[in-house]
Amino acid sequence: MRDAPTTLLPELLHVTSSCTDDDDTPAMRVARRDVDEVERDGEDDVVVEYSVDEGVESIGFGWFQIALLILCGATQLADATELLVLSLLNNPVQCAFGVSKGQAAWLASAVFAGMLCGAYVTGHVSDQHGRRVGFGMTTLLVASFGLLSAGAPTFELLVLARFFVGMGVGGANAALALFAEYLPNSMRGRGLIFFFFFFSVGGVLEAGLAYLVMPDWRALLFITALPSVILVLMYPFVPESPRFLVVQGRIDEAERCLAKAARCNGAKLPVGRLSRTRLEPKRFGAQSITEITSEVQRLLKKGVLRQLSLRLWALFFFMAILYYALVQLTVSLSIPPASKGHECEQVPSEAYWHVVVMTSGELPGLIAASILLDLVGRRWTIALLSLLTAFFSLLLIFDDSAGNGGGE
């Protein structure tokens, strides 16, 4: 990776801006010149071409991916704050609107129902209109309805607003896909771990923020939405995926994207022109990403793709149950027995520090995962860390302090 440029921020903002713009800025002129430089005269009937995968490999990992990691990873930070706030709202919402604990649970249910819908809708939009559009749609949903949540005058409108927040959170994988499609193979696993590092940081920040702001839950919701508002303002600097552009036949725009990234990293594209047809086949077949992911039915066709999809869905399903159960349990165990059944009792400040400790534990876990990836591979990394999680979760059964804090 080349040394950081002296004007790093302005250069990165120019280089990571949308590749589909037709403006005449200096960055665009340089990008067009770089594309022209890779053209070479050959025999009349021979055209040298390279695939989008070869183009990404030639770019390597550098300042472009770091800037893109910050932009896309920030969506994880924003989503983490919106999800972690769920465990902190039950008591103040019960007090503010006079609802029961069962009714207050609809807040979390609405968010997760929105995530279910948002994941499908955003996946379709990202495949048909681009990862960049999916990125913008999800951040706009979280930002706008996150702010509306803070001012909701009734419990029903609060639940409705949180549903649309959940739709935005559920579509966060558009940013993940965009970042992953700019990563060379050698950095794919570690780069995605760096991506999810932002989620852990967001959880720690939200718990610390709750410690400072609560019991003013409206202020907490307002501040929680601000990271997504910033991301909406950063949308003009989000590039499009060159793989998506090639699948759509927009080769010139894909070349400009790759040329911008190469310039930022101090690298050169392969000799020739970007191929209009050469997309590297994936392990599950030779179909394009758009063809195999635009509809859920395609994932359930007979063959290795269905087996892989079902296994990954099951794995993520149980991981999500465990993660959010532990977050909710952390707050629940921190409420003294005397406050059980008293809806207007505020959560003690110590509960927020417990959430800080729990979410901080994700950071060394991510570091361990990045090391284990090179040592034992992806499958064994998941297996080993899952066993550790199960072991320490079982220890909660024998935790006397938890029993005293959360017992009836």
Side-chain angles (χ1 to χ4, degrees), residues 10-194:
E11 181 170 345
L12 288 180
L13 291 180
H14 277 302
V15 173
T16 57
S17 60
S18 170
C19 312
T20 60
D21 294 339
D22 238 339
D23 56 348
D24 197 35
T25 63
M28 289 298 296
R29 289 197 296 270
V30 170
R32 296 190 191 100
R33 184 195 66 196
D34 288 346
V35 170
D36 293 338
E37 287 177 353
V38 301
E39 296 182 1
R40 296 291 184 270
D41 293 332
E43 299 180 15
D44 292 339
D45 57 348
V46 176
V47 177
V48 179
E49 293 184 335
Y50 63 91
S51 70
V52 65
D53 294 308
E54 291 167 341
V56 171
E57 289 296 323
S58 69
I59 291 169
F61 187 89
W63 290 110
F64 177 84
Q65 282 84 0
I66 292 175
L68 190 60
L69 173 63
I70 294 172
L71 276 175
C72 294
T75 63
Q76 287 292 296
L77 186 150
D79 292 346
T81 60
E82 293 289 355
L83 289 174
L84 264 294
V85 78
L86 292 176
S87 63
L88 311 172
L89 288 180
N90 283 341
N91 276 22
V93 165
Q94 290 174 54
C95 185
F97 295 108
V99 296
S100 66
K101 288 185 178 181
Q103 291 172 312
W106 277 101
L107 277 178
S109 299
V111 171
F112 291 122
M115 290 175 65
L116 181 64
C117 299
Y120 178 78
V121 172
T122 307
H124 182 78
V125 169
S126 297
D127 282 336
Q128 297 299 320
H129 304 286
R131 318 306 194 216
R132 184 171 184 264
V133 174
F135 179 103
M137 184 183 76
T138 57
T139 53
L140 183 60
L141 277 173
V142 176
S144 56
F145 286 97
L147 292 175
L148 289 174
S149 297
T154 66
F155 178 73
E156 291 75 16
L157 288 178
L158 177 61
V159 171
L160 181 63
R162 298 312 291 176
F163 172 82
F164 286 105
V165 168
M167 283 195 67
V169 172
N173 284 336
L176 173 62
L178 175 59
F179 177 61
E181 289 171 2
Y182 273 104
L183 288 177
N185 286 332
S186 60
M187 283 296 296
R188 187 69 56 84
R190 189 175 290 107
L192 296 182
I193 288 178
F194 293 156

Side-chain angles (χ1 to χ4, degrees), residues 176-259:
L176 173 62
L178 175 59
F179 177 61
E181 289 171 2
Y182 273 104
L183 288 177
N185 286 332
S186 60
M187 283 296 296
R188 187 69 56 84
R190 189 175 290 107
L192 296 182
I193 288 178
F194 293 156
F195 179 85
F196 288 110
F197 179 85
F198 285 82
F199 189 92
S200 301
V201 172
V204 175
L205 291 177
E206 181 67 16
L209 180 63
Y211 178 80
L212 298 174
V213 174
M214 291 294 275
D216 189 348
W217 61 275
R218 291 188 184 275
L220 180 64
L221 285 177
F222 179 83
I223 299 173
T224 297
L226 292 183
S228 295
V229 174
I230 295 173
L231 283 171
V232 171
L233 298 177
M234 295 297 292
Y235 179 73
F237 304 109
V238 178
E240 184 54 271
S241 163
R243 174 175 288 275
F244 166 79
L245 293 172
V246 169
V247 170
Q248 296 294 317
R250 296 155 61 180
I251 306 302
D252 291 341
E253 295 173 23
E255 282 186 322
R256 288 201 293 271
C257 284
L258 291 172

Side-chain angles (χ1 to χ4, degrees), residues 262-341:
R263 171 176 170 254
C264 189
N265 286 357
K268 292 290 185 181
L269 291 176
V271 173
R273 296 286 303 193
L274 181 60
S275 172
R276 295 177 180 271
T277 57
R278 289 180 59 201
L279 278 176
E280 298 296 330
K282 301 299 172 183
R283 288 192 300 172
F284 41 74
Q287 296 169 288
S288 72
I289 287 181
T290 300
E291 291 174 330
I292 63 175
T293 59
S294 61
E295 301 293 340
V296 172
Q297 299 94 304
R298 296 181 183 272
L299 298 176
L300 298 177
K301 285 186 176 181
K302 290 184 178 180
V304 65
L305 184 57
R306 180 171 68 175
Q307 298 176 15
L308 180 62
S309 298
L310 292 176
R311 291 170 184 171
L312 291 176
W313 288 352
L315 178 64
F316 193 84
F317 176 78
F318 288 114
M319 289 173 61
I321 287 179
L322 176 62
Y323 182 84
Y324 294 113
L326 287 176
V327 172
Q328 296 282 352
L329 186 65
T330 301
V331 177
S332 177
L333 293 179
S334 302
I335 302 176
S339 68
K340 298 284 186 178

Side-chain angles (χ1 to χ4, degrees), residues 354-365:
H354 293 169
V355 178
V356 170
V357 171
M358 192 199 78
T359 52
S360 297
E362 298 176 26
L363 303 180

